[in-house]
Amino acid sequence: MEPTKGSLSCVGIGMTLGSHLAPLARSYVEQADVVFVAASNKWVEEWVMGMNGDVRTLQPFYAEGKSRMETYTEMVEAMMSEVRSGKRVCGAFYGHPGIFAWVPHKAVKTARAEGFFAHMEPGISAEDCLYADLGLDPGTTGCQHFEATQFMVYRRCVDPSAWLILWQVGIAGDRTLKRFSTGAGYRDLLVEVLARTYPMRHEVIVYRAAVLPIYQPRIERVLLRDLPDIDLGMEDTLAVPPAQPLIIDEDIGRRLADLDNREPMMS
């Protein structure tokens, strides 16, 4: 008998242990022939291992001084090897598998290109936690998101009347893909870039989502000028509140008013 054609499902297990896993994502984990897990810590890994008899951690692929791109490529190959052998494979990733997660995107794309069924199931991300923990509604003034190093290397158009969220601020400035942190000198440059738009005394927020139910999120408010002196890790995010009020476009306002007067409201 020919083996069952392989498949791949990449699911999000959320940020906080046991709290964020949706029923559909859990079913993919439980019904898979083999599960590859990339979690925030060993306790989350052990929790996932309790749902399936063949759970393999992706953590050993990481190594100090090893390019993360090499690591990510090896992770994709490990999962695809099992898919090609005819197994139902599940990749369980902390947070959302499609946000700041190269491996799930590449694995799903590769599987589909090779003719296998592949699916991505969303999860609660650090972004979702940030909105809840900081009481931030992105619909109020708008919200712009950038990866910290990309924000430094490229000239981006920043709107100071909206929130600015910089991800992976703990490795801001790293272009080697080999570091797990960068020092104060790199953050000095980040502050220099931010100072093009924001006052040095502008208050910013260092944020880290809670990964265990007994933990509290990190919410540390500091002045922009003091950011280089703060201890930061790969899990930390920088949230920069608006520094200017929204500016009304008077011309568009008048034209909208004219349309309101000419066109009846739809019931």
Side-chain angles (χ1 to χ4, degrees):
M1 177 181 293
E2 292 185 1
T4 303
K5 187 176 182 181
S7 64
L8 174 67
S9 298
C10 290
V11 307
I13 58 177
M15 298 302 297
T16 305
L17 171 64
S19 302
H20 294 164
L21 184 64
L24 185 54
R26 187 184 188 106
S27 70
Y28 280 115
V29 174
E30 293 175 337
Q31 297 172 17
D33 296 316
V34 56
V35 177
F36 290 89
V37 60
S40 55
N41 56 62
K42 64 179 181 179
W43 296 286
V44 177
E45 286 187 353
E46 291 173 358
W47 170 62
V48 174
M49 288 175 182
M51 303 179 207
N52 191 293
D54 189 356
V55 177
R56 309 173 192 179
T57 177
L58 292 169
Q59 290 303 317
F61 288 101
Y62 287 104
E64 192 71 37
K66 179 182 178 182
S67 169
R68 287 193 296 278
M69 188 53 62
E70 181 183 353
T71 293
Y72 298 157
T73 301
E74 291 173 351
M75 290 178 176
V76 171
E77 184 56 31
M79 290 193 293
M80 285 305 304
S81 177
E82 297 296 336
V83 173
R84 294 175 186 126
S85 72
K87 294 181 180 179
R88 292 172 298 174
V89 176
C90 177
F93 297 86
Y94 70 91
H96 188 303
I99 298 179
F100 285 91
W102 187 89
V103 172
H105 279 295
K106 182 63 175 180
V108 167
K109 183 177 180 179
T110 300
R112 289 174 177 169
E114 295 183 14
F116 298 103
F117 171 81
H119 171 73
M120 182 177 286
E121 185 64 24
I124 293 177
S125 69
E127 178 184 346
D128 302 308
C129 296
L130 180 147
Y131 293 144
D133 291 333
L134 299 187
L136 190 169
D137 183 350
T140 302
T141 61
C143 195
Q144 50 209 326
H145 296 257
F146 302 104
E147 193 276 333
T149 299
Q150 184 190 86
F151 178 80
M152 295 171 68
V153 172
Y154 298 96
R155 287 190 172 270
R156 310 305 300 256
C157 295
V158 180
D159 180 357
S161 67
W163 279 83
L164 171 66
I165 311 296
L166 296 182
W167 298 95
Q168 298 180 328
V169 71
I171 52 171
D174 174 45
R175 296 183 294 172
T176 68
L177 297 180
K178 295 181 179 181
R179 297 187 179 96
F180 292 95
S181 64
T182 51
Y186 291 86
R187 291 196 291 279
D188 279 333
L189 282 177
L190 173 60
V191 169
E192 182 179 323
V193 174
L194 287 167
R196 296 170 182 166
T197 307
Y198 301 93
M200 291 291 277
R201 292 186 59 82
H202 189 58
E203 185 179 80
V204 300
I205 305 168
V206 176
Y207 173 78
R208 182 189 304 169
V211 296
L212 295 176
I214 61 173
Y215 287 0
Q216 293 295 316
R218 179 183 185 180
I219 303 175
E220 185 174 353
R221 301 175 187 273
V222 300
L223 298 182
L224 177 59
R225 69 183 184 189
D226 297 328
L227 187 63
D229 302 323
I230 302 299
D231 183 31
L232 297 174
M234 288 187 68
E235 304 87 358
D236 289 314
T237 299
L238 186 69
V240 183
Q244 296 178 11
L246 293 168
I247 300 174
I248 295 175
D249 188 321
E250 300 287 355
D251 177 61
I252 293 297
R254 285 192 296 270
R255 293 166 65 182
L256 285 172
D258 289 341
L259 288 172
D260 290 341
N261 292 331
R262 290 202 306 268
E263 299 185 13
M265 293 181 63
M266 301 294 291
S267 59

